[in-house]
């Protein structure tokens, strides 16, 4: 399914105030409180199925999403954390007491003392996920997003500003066919090194570590 | 990714979008009217946003309340740390902090996730969750980290990384996946 495009937020929110949006022939009437609607957001696909003309709705256990490309071309294999050790991360960021709190097949996240108050550093490996979407998120939320090439691979570099700390955040995403990796470097207190220097160097090392 | 940008507003938008989608889903007339009004005159390139209209809803596949409950945390003690096709949260289980990762690679595949898990030398178990082919992955982690990936909408998955041992991470990720497949089916 595809959603209507080009809706502004205001208009969408306006639409939310329309009453009686659930025709009686729909399978379920849904309460309209904000919270219930949030649930409805997740649950709307079955409603779609229930309302669609084709009576033969397919297996209810297949979630919706844009039609997946069956033959995504994947990039190289990366080791856990892009092959970056806790020690290298500490050296690069010059932050002490970091804990690797989410080491898994998706990536790694380092937090000071293991808690979310403080600096955030992460490596994330997207496999069959468009880099364009991530870049768009950056463009909507960051002070600047530019093209970058590291070790011969194209991507973006995004800088985030903090009112008191200045440029304290930098994120580098590098594409490998239908995959990409992203390093996110975010400092929470002075003094700190240039976050983009850190992000670029960790990205470079991760690319070198790819197999 | 970005941290903590207007999650409440976001939830409202998501809810609103869902209503609209209900509308378009159940009455054919609405779609055209709605679509024309907001288009054009956008000062910046929003091709990606149009191409990926799910951009902002991804982390909301399950609400934070449900997430917290599933990992045994107070709903007030969960916070998002990273959003996008990969979302991360941290929740406070009485036994210790738990990091939750959710991924949704819409052009990915269960096969590829299996290859990656093999490359990382994780223990892999084939499972069927809510009728969907899945794998459960266990790294050699002293705190018992556990992940799950299911062949749905590309590939969707969860990881639970406890910061202390003694937490049933595999039970949690399977539960999260059951909830995911139930709500987005």
């Amino acid at each position: 399914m595809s959603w209507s495009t080009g809706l502004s937020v205001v208009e969408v929110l306006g639409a939310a105030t329309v009453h009686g949006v659930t025709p009686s022939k729909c399978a379920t009437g849904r309460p309209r409180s904000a919270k219930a609607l949030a649930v409805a957001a997740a649950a709307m696909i079955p409603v779609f199925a229930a309302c669609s003309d084709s009576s033969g709705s397919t297996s209810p256990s297949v979630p919706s999403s844009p039609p997946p490309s069956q033959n995504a071309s994947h990039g190289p294999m990366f080791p856990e954390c892009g092959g970056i050790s806790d020690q290298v991360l500490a050296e690069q960021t010059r932050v002490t007491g970091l804990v690797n709190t989410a080491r898994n097949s998706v990536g790694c996240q380092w937090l000071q003392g293991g808690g979310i108050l403080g600096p955030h550093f992460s490596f994330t490996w997207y496999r069959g996920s468009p880099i364009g979407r991530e870049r768009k998120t950056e463009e909507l939320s960051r002070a600047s997003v530019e093209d970058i090439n590291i070790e011969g691979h194209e991507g973006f570099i995004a800088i985030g500003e903090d009112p008191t700390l200045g440029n304290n955040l930098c994120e580098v995403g590098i594409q490998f066919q239908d995959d990409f990796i992203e390093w996110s470097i975010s400092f929470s207190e002075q003094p700190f090194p240039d976050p983009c220097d850190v992000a670029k160097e960790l990205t470079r090392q991760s690319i070198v570590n790819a197999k | 990714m970005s941290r903590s940008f207007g999650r409440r507003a976001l939830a409202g938008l998501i809810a609103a979008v869902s209503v609209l989608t209900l509308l378009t889903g159940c009455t054919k007339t609405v779609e055209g009217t709605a679509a024309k009004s907001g288009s054009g005159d956008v000062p910046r390139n929003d091709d990606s946003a149009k191409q990926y209209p799910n951009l902002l809803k991804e982390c909301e596949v399950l609400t934070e309340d449900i997430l917290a409950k599933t990992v045994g945390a107070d709903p007030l003690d969960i916070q998002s740390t990273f959003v996008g096709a990969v979302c991360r949260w941290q929740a406070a289980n009485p036994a210790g902090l738990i990091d939750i990762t959710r991924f949704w690679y819409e052009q990915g595949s269960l096969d590829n996730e299996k290859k990656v898990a093999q490359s990382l030398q994780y223990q892999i178990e084939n499972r069927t969750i809510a009728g969907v082919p899945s794998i459960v992955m266990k790294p050699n982690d002293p705190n018992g980290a556990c992940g799950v990936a299911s062949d749905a909408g590309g590939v969707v998955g969860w990881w639970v990384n406890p910061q202390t041992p003694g937490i049933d991470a595999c039970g949690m990720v399977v539960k999260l996946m059951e909830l995911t497949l139930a709500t987005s089916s």
Side-chain angles (χ1 to χ4, degrees):
Chain A
M1 75 170 188
S2 65
W3 293 22
S4 305
T5 54
L7 290 166
S8 76
V9 170
V10 171
E11 284 152 353
V12 171
L13 291 174
T17 63
V18 173
H19 294 290
V21 296
T22 310
S24 56
K25 68 177 175 181
C26 275
T28 52
R30 296 191 182 272
R32 294 186 186 91
S33 76
K35 196 146 198 170
L37 286 171
V39 175
M44 75 196 175
I45 306 312
V47 176
F48 246 97
C51 297
S52 78
D53 289 335
S54 59
S55 54
S57 68
T58 51
S59 162
S61 52
V62 179
S64 79
S65 77
S69 159
Q70 292 305 319
N71 43 10
S73 303
H74 293 290
M77 287 286 173
F78 291 86
E80 270 188 336
C81 310
I84 302 299
S85 67
D86 294 357
Q87 187 185 346
V88 167
L89 195 92
E91 287 166 4
Q92 286 291 321
T93 62
R94 300 176 211 166
V95 170
T96 55
L98 290 175
V99 177
N100 192 336
T101 62
R103 170 193 288 265
N104 55 49
S105 67
V106 172
C108 291
Q109 171 172 261
W110 291 265
L111 304 173
Q112 194 163 35
I116 58 172
L117 299 177
H120 283 62
F121 309 113
S122 66
F123 167 79
T124 308
W125 178 13
Y126 298 78
R127 300 177 284 269
S129 184
I131 193 172
R133 164 176 39 200
E134 181 69 7
R135 180 168 181 149
K136 176 50 61 179
T137 303
E138 300 284 2
E139 287 171 358
L140 293 173
S141 58
R142 300 303 179 209
S144 82
V145 181
E146 307 285 342
D147 292 340
I148 194 171
N149 184 306
I150 298 182
E151 296 282 322
H153 299 276
E154 299 288 337
F156 66 80
I157 181 165
I159 299 172
E161 286 175 352
D162 180 272
T164 55
L165 295 173
N167 291 347
N168 69 318
L169 180 149
C170 191
E171 300 187 319
V172 171
I174 298 291
Q175 182 175 9
F176 299 87
Q177 302 181 75
D178 292 326
D179 299 351
F180 71 100
I181 60 169
E182 180 174 335
W183 270 99
S184 175
I185 302 297
S186 176
F187 292 101
S188 61
E189 62 179 359
Q190 298 277 11
F192 54 81
D194 181 339
C196 286
D197 284 349
V198 177
K200 285 187 282 190
E201 174 57 19
L202 293 173
T203 302
R204 189 193 65 75
Q205 291 192 25
S206 296
I207 294 172
V208 170
N209 291 335
K211 287 174 273 190
Chain B
M1 85 90 193
S2 68
R3 279 180 283 128
S4 60
F5 67 86
R7 298 191 60 77
R8 186 149 298 220
L10 203 63
L13 175 61
I14 291 153
V17 168
S18 82
V19 170
L20 187 70
T21 313
L22 279 168
L23 259 173
T24 61
C26 298
T27 69
K28 301 231 162 141
T29 51
V30 176
E31 191 171 352
T33 312
K36 77 174 188 203
S37 46
S39 52
D41 301 317
V42 180
R44 61 198 306 171
N45 169 13
D46 67 345
D47 289 350
S48 299
K50 284 180 179 171
Q51 191 174 354
Y52 310 114
N54 292 343
L55 182 66
L56 294 179
K57 77 163 189 178
E58 296 197 310
C59 296
E60 310 282 340
V61 169
L62 298 181
T63 64
E64 290 193 350
D65 286 5
I66 292 175
L67 278 183
K69 194 178 160 197
T70 307
V71 300
D74 188 301
L76 296 176
D77 279 335
I78 183 164
Q79 195 152 345
S80 165
T81 65
F82 194 93
V83 305
V86 169
C87 313
R88 293 191 178 101
W89 298 264
Q90 186 172 83
N93 178 294
L97 292 173
I98 292 179
D99 281 58
I100 304 167
T101 306
R102 196 226 51 148
F103 61 95
W104 184 357
Y105 305 142
E106 62 198 62
Q107 297 163 6
S109 67
L110 185 61
D111 276 353
N112 192 52
E113 292 310 299
K114 210 178 280 188
K115 275 182 206 155
V116 169
Q118 282 163 351
S119 153
L120 299 175
Q121 299 185 313
Y122 294 169
Q123 194 181 317
I124 303 168
E125 180 196 345
N126 290 301
R127 286 273 291 266
T128 299
I129 299 175
V132 178
S134 307
I135 55 171
V136 173
M137 301 168 279
K138 289 184 74 172
N140 184 21
D141 173 43
N143 296 331
C146 194
V148 62
S150 294
D151 178 17
V155 63
V156 62
W158 292 91
W159 276 94
V160 165
N161 287 80
Q163 291 189 26
T164 50
I167 288 171
D168 177 18
C170 286
M172 290 173 181
V173 292
V174 169
K175 181 67 181 169
L176 288 169
M177 186 57 80
E178 285 169 352
L179 293 167
T180 302
L181 296 173
T183 55
S184 66
S185 62

